[in-house]
Amino acid sequence: MIINSLSVPEDVKVALRELEKQIEFHKASDKGQNGHVLFGTNRLLGRPDVVKLYYWESGDHAEPELLAKLEHPNILKVYHAASIDAEWAFFTTKFCDGGDLDSVLEKGPLGLRDAIDAVMMVASGVSFLHGNGFLHRDLKLENVYRDNDQIVIGDFGSVSPCDAHGHCKTLTRHSLLYRPPEATVTNDYFKESDVYQLGLMLFQLLGGYLPYDERDWLTSKQKTEYDALKGATDKGDYATKIIEEKINKGRLLDMDTLPAYVPKSVVTFIRKATRVEIKNRHKSVADFIATLNNMKRRIPDWRPDGGHIVLHRPKKRLRVLANGSTFAIEKDVGRGWKKQHALKPKTMRDAVIIAEIT
């Protein structure tokens, strides 16, 4: 029943039925834009397995068999990968019960250091891919998973081989919001394109505004024009044009939507990673990691907690409370939180600064 419900060619279903002799499938998902995911249990080993079915276009992406050879702490281990025909392929991985980072973010933004740590782990996996001659091209939260204490890249349906200059040109594009400017027209991708997507990931994990509904990117006037269109295709084309224009002008990210505790150094870092011109971004993922690691040492440990933000120090915790336009700072005194009446912040940013120097 699960296989029959998939919108794939019949020969792909035949291949999946053969695979079903090894894996008992329980459910399927089409959350990703370029394939299907099936969840099941390995009949011989009794372990949870995940099968990702994707459209690989006869070499436009990495050879499936090569994916199974990738070994890195921040790349989800591929048990098996193979092509089904000239257009479809699949790979089988372990199941990560920590879920993808998109699901994690639904519960709220990560703390400042936690977000940086997560992106650094993803970047480490990306650096490994680059070192082995591949570009990922579709780095986004739903393609990255929490696997115990590691953050791992778990989707490889867009991975493509690159030349000696770190460039590839493909027939396909993925995930409009994460599409780098250089890929909006020509389908050119570079190592710096992955850097761009890493910058978007950090922005999003910190709580920056990046809505998935295309209508949310439109002005009031544009929404009226959008709503007047009858077909889904026409609406999609209309919204895509507007979003791509924002991407190409470097106006996709509104840094003012980041929490007040995000330091200017981190904002500047994200701006650099997501520059329109690739020559103005970090020159490599290794440079991206080194810069972020050096910054982390000086970054305060702010964490969202129960609707408030809390500053963690080795022997002190301070939290900021907001009630409309009124702000207060409380200290953890061991028996609970005590308001610091001498501290009178006027804005959220003011409260953050006062807490950091107190």
Side-chain angles (χ1 to χ4, degrees):
M1 290 294 292
I2 292 176
I3 294 175
N4 290 338
S5 68
L6 300 178
S7 299
V8 295
E10 185 57 34
D11 61 334
V12 175
K13 293 181 179 180
V14 170
L16 288 176
R17 292 187 188 105
E18 187 65 25
L19 189 61
E20 197 172 25
K21 295 177 181 178
Q22 304 172 37
I23 302 173
E24 180 183 0
F25 294 122
H26 307 307
K27 65 176 181 177
S29 170
D30 59 355
K31 182 178 180 181
Q33 294 183 347
N34 62 325
H36 300 267
V37 180
L38 293 90
F39 302 88
T41 302
N42 187 289
R43 297 180 188 276
L44 178 62
L45 302 176
R47 72 185 179 200
D49 278 0
V50 178
V51 176
K52 172 64 184 287
L53 182 69
Y54 67 101
Y55 192 65
W56 81 295
E57 293 116 351
S58 302
D60 193 35
H61 298 78
E63 289 283 349
E65 291 80 2
L66 294 178
L67 297 176
K69 298 180 180 180
L70 298 175
E71 295 274 359
H72 188 274
N74 301 113
I75 293 179
L76 190 61
K77 173 60 181 173
V78 176
Y79 296 138
H80 177 61
S83 58
I84 295 174
D85 55 26
E87 296 182 334
W88 290 89
F90 74 91
F91 56 85
T92 305
T93 70
K94 69 179 291 186
F95 172 72
C96 296
D97 56 11
D100 62 46
L101 289 193
D102 195 39
S103 300
V104 172
L105 192 63
E106 289 177 358
K107 303 173 184 176
L110 301 185
L112 190 50
R113 292 187 180 177
D114 286 344
I116 289 173
D117 284 341
V119 172
M120 286 180 62
M121 283 189 272
V122 177
S124 180
V126 174
S127 183
F128 177 80
L129 286 175
H130 288 184
N132 282 272
F134 298 108
L135 304 182
H136 191 281
R137 299 195 307 123
D138 198 24
L139 293 165
K140 57 185 179 182
L141 300 187
E142 69 180 56
N143 286 344
V144 177
Y145 297 82
R146 179 174 282 171
D147 183 28
N148 296 319
D149 61 344
Q150 291 289 327
I151 304 297
V152 297
I153 300 170
D155 190 289
F156 311 98
S158 297
V159 173
S160 295
C162 61
D163 62 22
H165 303 288
H167 166 260
C168 74
K169 192 177 186 71
T170 65
L171 300 173
T172 58
R173 294 181 291 175
H174 302 287
S175 304
L176 173 61
L177 285 182
Y178 290 86
R179 196 171 297 164
E182 59 272 15
T184 57
V185 177
T186 63
N187 283 15
D188 284 295
Y189 286 84
F190 302 84
K191 290 181 178 180
E192 294 89 344
S193 304
D194 282 349
V195 168
Y196 176 92
Q197 292 179 339
L198 288 168
L200 292 187
M201 189 177 293
L202 179 58
F203 173 82
Q204 199 172 5
L205 287 175
L206 287 172
Y209 184 70
L210 199 73
Y212 293 148
D213 189 335
E214 63 188 18
R215 195 175 182 276
D216 290 339
W217 292 95
L218 311 181
T219 64
S220 296
K221 180 181 178 181
Q222 289 168 343
K223 287 178 180 177
T224 300
E225 296 176 351
Y226 175 91
D227 292 340
L229 298 172
K230 295 182 178 180
T233 299
D234 289 342
K235 288 184 175 182
D237 290 344
Y238 180 88
T240 295
K241 182 179 179 181
I242 291 170
I243 295 171
E244 284 190 339
E245 183 177 358
K246 290 180 180 291
I247 292 172
N248 292 330
K249 291 184 177 180
R251 297 177 181 173
L252 186 73
L253 305 185
D254 181 357
M255 299 300 172
D256 290 337
T257 64
L258 287 168
Y261 56 76
V262 176
K264 289 184 178 179
S265 59
V266 175
V267 175
T268 299
F269 177 86
I270 295 173
R271 288 189 189 279
K272 181 176 178 63
T274 58
R275 293 292 185 193
V276 172
E277 296 290 336
I278 64 172
K279 65 181 181 181
N280 295 328
R281 299 175 200 158
H282 300 89
K283 61 183 179 180
S284 66
V285 175
D287 179 39
F288 178 97
I289 294 172
T291 304
L292 197 54
N293 188 49
N294 288 335
M295 282 197 322
K296 180 188 169 185
R297 301 170 187 173
R298 304 184 297 273
I299 288 176
D301 189 10
W302 284 100
R303 307 177 197 176
D305 185 4
H308 309 300
I309 57 173
V310 181
L311 176 61
H312 291 251
R313 291 177 176 167
K315 297 182 179 181
K316 182 189 293 186
R317 290 200 307 159
L318 296 170
R319 74 177 181 181
V320 177
L321 279 66
N323 183 13
S325 59
T326 303
F327 302 90
I329 297 175
E330 294 183 338
K331 180 181 179 180
D332 183 358
V333 295
R335 301 180 304 277
W337 294 94
K338 183 177 181 180
K339 184 176 180 179
Q340 305 299 288
H341 294 281
L343 306 179
K344 302 181 183 299
K346 297 180 179 180
T347 66
M348 177 61 80
R349 181 58 189 163
D350 192 23
V352 167
I353 294 173
I354 291 173
E356 289 178 356
I357 63 177
T358 298

